[in-house]
């Protein structure tokens, strides 16, 4: 569970839980190793984020929220969340990838870090 500071002066935190609902291993998709569906519950309100991407190579793993192609051709975030929630999603998806055997712990370098748009997590690779 993640505690988020709330702008409302009468309450100072909001409880948030993150769960991986489903993770699909992708074969022959280059660095894109998996797609995950994640459930985020904000004080009892459930939101499902589909298409969370897991990209990995021999050096690092990156978890990214879904994106869409804008009319100008650029890729933009489909959802914008606070860093605390993005970190929790990244950790949850990496744990699900490890449990499913899609990812494995990288043994030779503890210094490299996994990222989710800047978030840091333990070393893993596909």
């Amino acid at each position: 569970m993640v505690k988020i500071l709330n702008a409302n002066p009468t309450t100072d935190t909001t409880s948030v839980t993150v769960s991986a609902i489903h993770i699909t291993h992708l074969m022959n998709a280059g660095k894109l190793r998996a797609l995950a569906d994640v459930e985020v519950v904000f004080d009892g309100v459930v939101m499902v984020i589909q298409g969370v991407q897991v990209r990995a190579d021999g050096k690092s793993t990156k978890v990214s929220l879904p994106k869409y192609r804008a009319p100008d051709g650029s890729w933009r975030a489909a959802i914008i969340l606070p860093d605390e929630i993005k970190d929790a999603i990244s950790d949850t998806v990496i744990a699900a990838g490890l449990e499913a055997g899609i990812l494995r712990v990288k043994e030779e370098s503890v210094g490299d870090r996994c990222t989710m748009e800047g978030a840091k997590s333990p070393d893993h690779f596909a």
Side-chain angles (χ1 to χ4, degrees):
M1 181 172 356
V2 178
K3 292 283 188 182
I4 305 295
L5 293 177
N6 190 339
N8 184 342
T10 60
T11 60
D12 55 332
T13 62
T14 298
S15 69
V16 177
T17 56
V18 178
S19 306
I21 299 171
H22 184 73
I23 188 163
T24 303
H25 189 195
L26 302 177
M27 304 297 240
N28 302 319
K31 290 183 181 181
L32 183 60
R33 302 300 173 141
L35 291 174
D37 297 337
V38 177
E39 179 181 81
V40 182
V41 182
F42 300 91
D43 275 337
V45 178
V46 178
M47 177 178 69
V48 175
I49 303 172
Q50 297 177 318
V52 176
Q53 298 179 359
V54 180
R55 295 184 184 279
D57 57 23
K59 297 178 183 178
S60 66
T61 300
K62 182 177 181 182
V63 176
S64 302
L65 293 172
K67 295 182 181 182
Y68 70 96
R69 189 176 295 273
D72 67 2
S74 66
W75 287 98
R76 296 193 184 163
I79 184 168
I80 298 172
L81 296 171
D83 288 341
E84 298 90 348
I85 297 174
K86 289 191 297 186
D87 292 349
I89 290 171
S90 180
D91 292 345
T92 300
V93 169
I94 288 172
L98 288 168
E99 186 176 322
I102 297 167
L103 300 174
R104 57 190 167 129
V105 175
K106 182 178 177 183
E107 309 225 1
E108 61 267 9
S109 174
V110 177
D112 296 335
R113 306 305 263 173
C114 299
T115 63
M116 176 171 185
E117 300 165 9
K120 295 191 180 211
S121 298
D123 293 312
H124 304 94
F125 68 99

